[in-house]
Amino acid sequence: MIENINWYPGHMKKTRELISENLKLVDLVVEVLDARIPLSSQNPIIGDLIKDKEKIIILNKADLADEKATKDWAEYFASLGYHVLTLNCNKGDGVKSLNSLLEKIRDDRNKDRERKRPLRLMIVGIPNVGKSSLINRLTGKKAAKTGDKPGVTRGKQWLTLGSDIMLLDTPGILWPKFEDPKVGLDLAFCGSIKDEIMDIASLGLELIQRLSEVHPDLLMARYKLEQIEETPLLTMEAIAGKRGFIMSGKRIDYDRTAKTVLDEFRSATIGRISLELVDK
């Protein structure tokens, strides 16, 4: 088992300092979470930094998550007093609702002011949750650099969204140490930690074990398995056999098998799966 995953590059330490320094300039914080892992993708450092600032929670990548689970998470965060929206930033689903909410908050804040002020907001989130895609949707152009790999956004950007709304973008930040190993694994499964620093075969094996527990039906259907084997390794080998990932000498290509399962989980090709559920 992968016991401990930590990834805290120097630029992320600087980003924490940047967020802390500029928080006093904004009225509102928009935190983008991965709808498949809302708790694991919620950075506790961000919570400590923003404190009592008004906050909108975005459950992004909702198209990849289980629909009922996402509804439950939206209700959970709303019960804590946050504004909550579910989005698919890649396609733009839900962005109009976010614009409408921002305009309402702006108007409410200006209701008793003689001189109207723009609403200033900060978008925060860990790497690869879709921050840059959201910013591009809000601005209607490619204002922020995006990519499939975490950590592609750099530096501070003030962006004007029109309608007296200004946005401060910051790079994604992870936290120095994951107290719960499950959090690190969830982030790695969903691509918020660079694959390059992981043992892909081991990570794929961990994912197969998790999927065998939470959605064995979808795993079996995708890879045409008759059953989930006694161990994750045997299940992985069965998947390799079904896909023909066999090298010379009848050796299993574990890396290729792992990469395939990871890619197909991340794209919801296996199915819409949430790895975290609200504890009822």
Side-chain angles (χ1 to χ4, degrees):
M1 178 180 176
I2 300 176
E3 294 184 355
N4 198 8
I5 299 172
N6 288 306
W7 181 49
Y8 195 57
H11 77 83
M12 292 190 177
K13 179 178 182 296
K14 293 177 182 176
T15 302
R16 177 193 170 118
E17 295 168 354
L18 183 69
I19 291 175
S20 182
E21 290 168 5
N22 290 284
L23 196 57
K24 59 182 177 291
L25 303 177
V26 302
D27 309 302
L28 171 75
V29 174
V30 177
E31 183 173 16
V32 185
L33 305 179
D34 187 320
R36 297 167 294 181
I37 51 169
L39 294 183
S40 291
S41 60
Q42 189 171 44
N43 190 333
I45 288 176
I46 291 173
D48 292 341
L49 290 176
I50 67 173
K51 296 180 181 176
D52 58 351
K53 288 277 183 182
E54 188 170 5
K55 184 163 78 168
I56 297 173
I57 291 209
I58 301 295
L59 294 171
N60 190 34
K61 305 190 180 184
D63 56 309
L64 306 179
D66 178 87
E67 191 172 4
K68 182 182 183 305
T70 301
K71 183 175 181 292
D72 290 342
W73 281 116
E75 292 173 355
Y76 166 78
F77 285 117
S79 74
L80 299 180
Y82 302 124
H83 306 284
V84 187
L85 293 171
T86 59
L87 268 67
N88 171 1
C89 292
N90 280 337
K91 291 186 177 179
D93 298 343
V95 174
K96 285 185 179 179
S97 297
L98 176 57
N99 274 319
S100 297
L101 177 57
L102 292 174
E103 290 171 1
K104 181 179 184 304
I105 293 172
R106 176 204 62 200
D107 293 343
D108 287 346
R109 284 177 170 269
N110 282 325
K111 185 169 56 177
D112 298 321
R113 289 175 179 155
E114 185 174 333
R115 185 177 179 182
K116 307 304 182 187
R117 291 172 50 188
L119 177 70
R120 293 182 173 89
L121 62 115
M122 177 188 292
I123 293 185
V124 298
I126 67 169
N128 209 34
V129 291
K131 281 173 64 264
S132 296
S133 295
L134 174 57
I135 291 167
N136 292 338
R137 288 288 176 182
L138 289 171
T139 59
K141 58 185 179 182
K142 289 197 172 181
K145 186 178 179 183
T146 62
D148 294 331
K149 295 183 179 180
V152 298
T153 308
R154 293 288 184 269
K156 179 179 73 172
Q157 300 183 80
W158 274 107
L159 304 171
T160 300
L161 303 187
S163 303
D164 292 324
I165 300 174
M166 296 182 67
L167 183 154
L168 174 64
D169 178 37
T170 58
I173 56 173
L174 287 172
W175 50 109
K177 182 179 181 181
F178 307 124
E179 299 298 334
D180 183 350
K182 176 185 171 295
V183 171
L185 282 173
D186 284 347
L187 293 170
F189 292 153
C190 293
S192 286
I193 296 175
K194 291 182 178 179
D195 285 343
E196 289 86 344
I197 71 165
M198 303 297 302
D199 179 331
I200 288 297
S202 295
L203 184 62
L205 188 63
E206 294 279 3
L207 179 57
I208 288 168
Q209 179 174 341
R210 182 74 68 83
L211 295 180
S212 297
E213 295 166 354
V214 300
H215 267 299
D217 53 332
L218 295 179
L219 191 66
M220 290 168 60
R222 177 60 188 166
Y223 299 108
K224 298 180 172 57
L225 304 177
E226 294 181 3
Q227 63 183 17
I228 298 297
E229 302 294 340
E230 293 180 4
T231 67
L233 182 60
L234 289 174
T235 301
M236 189 180 203
E237 291 174 347
I239 291 171
K242 290 290 186 179
R243 285 297 178 91
F245 297 157
I246 310 297
M247 301 184 291
S248 61
K250 297 184 179 180
R251 293 174 297 130
I252 301 290
D253 192 336
Y254 292 104
D255 283 349
R256 188 178 178 191
T257 306
K259 189 175 186 308
T260 296
V261 175
L262 284 162
D263 287 346
E264 294 190 346
F265 163 72
R266 291 169 181 171
S267 64
T269 304
I270 294 174
R272 293 177 61 172
I273 297 171
S274 294
L275 296 180
E276 292 180 332
L277 303 177
V278 175
D279 186 355
K280 298 289 188 178

